[in-house]
Amino acid sequence: MIKIVVAGFNGRMGSTATKMVLANETFELVGVLDPLEQKKNLSEFPEYAQVDVPIFTDKETLLSSQPDVWIDFTMPEFALEHTQFALENRICPVVGTTGFSEADISFLTNLSKEKKTGGLIAPNFAIGAVLMMEFSKKAAKFFPDVEIIELHHDNKLDAPSGTAIKTAEMISQVREPKKQGHLDEVETLQGARGADYDGMRIHSVRLPGLIAHQQVQFGGIGEGLTIRHDSYDRSSFMGGVALGCKEVMERNELVYGLENLL
């Protein structure tokens, strides 16, 4: 039985993750974390009426629950601190919060090696999204002209999304840096061409009603290729989260990207 805590359980993704852990026979939910929550136990919420799980408001007290895995769906400004804290206490982090820099990933990876503790930071936990990124990387060998369009709900704080950045990173491994579009093109409205990553462009859409969607559009002479993934419900991410919780227990360092566990 893997003992798990969920940080950010009141959020949309955190709530979905909490319910996934409760429903999984190989997991035991030993605590949830929210520094602003007034309630002391999940049983005080109508949807968790029969669940006896303590609510913690600080991470130090949470250690009393002796968790094996720390699931984190919080805010970008807290995720680095939480992941560092988990690793320092030899708790395996499974992190879906985005906004980490390359320096953050490097620091946390080195810390995990020092502590010999497994962990996972994944911009996207949907299996289909991971395949979309892998297929895009393969296609980029033959179609170096590519633009990424990511679409999310209007409450998402970071742009571009972690998935879009991860996709661009994977494409750049096989694609030489190349400035796309006309050499003399001019933006008559600033930002019209999107963010620039090694010459490829990333566009972010934020609208109510969306969940998480991404389209990777390739152009060639006389043809085009579009690779798209859509998450219509947050439950689409839970298979990847559950896989991550199991896999990190078997590892002794942190990995970045769910594709590294498949």
Side-chain angles (χ1 to χ4, degrees):
M1 189 74 72
I2 300 174
K3 296 181 178 180
I4 298 177
V5 294
V6 178
F9 80 98
N10 267 324
R12 294 176 181 176
M13 281 295 293
S15 173
T16 306
T18 298
K19 292 170 183 173
M20 180 277 293
V21 174
L22 289 169
N24 194 307
E25 294 181 352
T26 63
F27 299 155
E28 179 186 359
L29 186 65
V30 295
V32 294
L33 176 68
D34 187 325
L36 302 178
E37 182 54 59
Q38 300 296 313
K39 296 180 176 64
K40 303 298 183 183
N41 196 287
L42 275 184
S43 60
E44 297 178 52
F45 289 87
E47 64 266 42
Y48 302 115
Q50 306 301 317
V51 176
D52 180 19
V53 173
I55 298 173
F56 297 94
T57 55
D58 67 86
K59 55 187 184 298
E60 288 77 15
T61 307
L62 179 147
L63 293 176
S64 64
S65 63
Q66 299 182 316
D68 302 309
V69 172
W70 176 306
I71 295 177
D72 197 289
F73 285 106
T74 55
M75 308 281 277
E77 57 265 36
F78 302 126
L80 175 60
E81 177 188 343
H82 284 178
T83 308
Q84 180 179 350
F85 179 82
L87 290 170
E88 287 176 341
N89 288 279
R90 291 186 168 84
I91 305 168
C92 300
V94 174
V95 183
T97 309
T98 54
F100 290 93
S101 67
E102 289 184 16
D104 294 337
I105 300 295
S106 178
F107 166 72
L108 293 169
T109 301
N110 289 333
L111 177 60
S112 71
K113 292 177 181 178
E114 177 188 328
K115 297 295 182 179
K116 294 182 172 57
T117 301
L120 169 66
I121 296 174
N124 200 312
F125 279 98
I127 302 299
V130 174
L131 293 173
M132 175 263 297
M133 290 186 274
E134 291 285 355
F135 296 158
S136 296
K137 179 179 178 180
K138 186 172 184 178
K141 294 180 182 179
F142 308 97
F143 292 90
D145 290 279
V146 54
E147 306 215 357
I148 299 169
I149 306 164
E150 56 94 352
L151 309 91
H152 284 80
H153 55 87
D154 56 343
N155 288 316
K156 185 171 177 59
L157 298 179
D158 55 319
S161 68
T163 301
I165 294 172
K166 178 67 173 176
T167 305
E169 290 173 351
M170 292 174 66
I171 288 174
S172 69
Q173 293 172 11
V174 299
R175 173 188 178 274
E176 292 295 325
K178 174 184 179 182
K179 180 176 173 57
Q180 296 179 182
H182 197 284
L183 291 176
D184 297 323
E185 73 177 12
V186 176
E187 287 184 325
T188 55
L189 287 176
Q190 186 176 0
R193 289 290 290 120
D196 187 318
Y197 190 103
D198 280 348
M200 72 184 94
R201 297 291 180 163
I202 303 176
H203 309 268
S204 297
V205 177
R206 298 291 178 267
L207 289 171
L210 298 174
I211 298 293
H213 317 263
Q214 181 167 294
Q215 180 170 308
V216 186
Q217 192 152 337
F218 298 90
I221 298 175
E223 64 177 327
L225 172 66
T226 299
I227 301 173
R228 181 178 173 111
H229 176 262
D230 298 277
S231 283
Y232 302 112
D233 187 271
R234 289 173 177 82
S235 60
S236 65
F237 305 113
M238 290 305 109
V241 176
L243 173 66
C245 290
K246 296 173 182 177
E247 289 289 330
V248 293
M249 295 291 293
E250 305 300 322
R251 298 171 184 262
N252 55 18
E253 68 178 81
L254 181 141
V255 296
Y256 176 56
L258 184 64
E259 71 276 4
N260 295 302
L261 300 185
L262 297 179

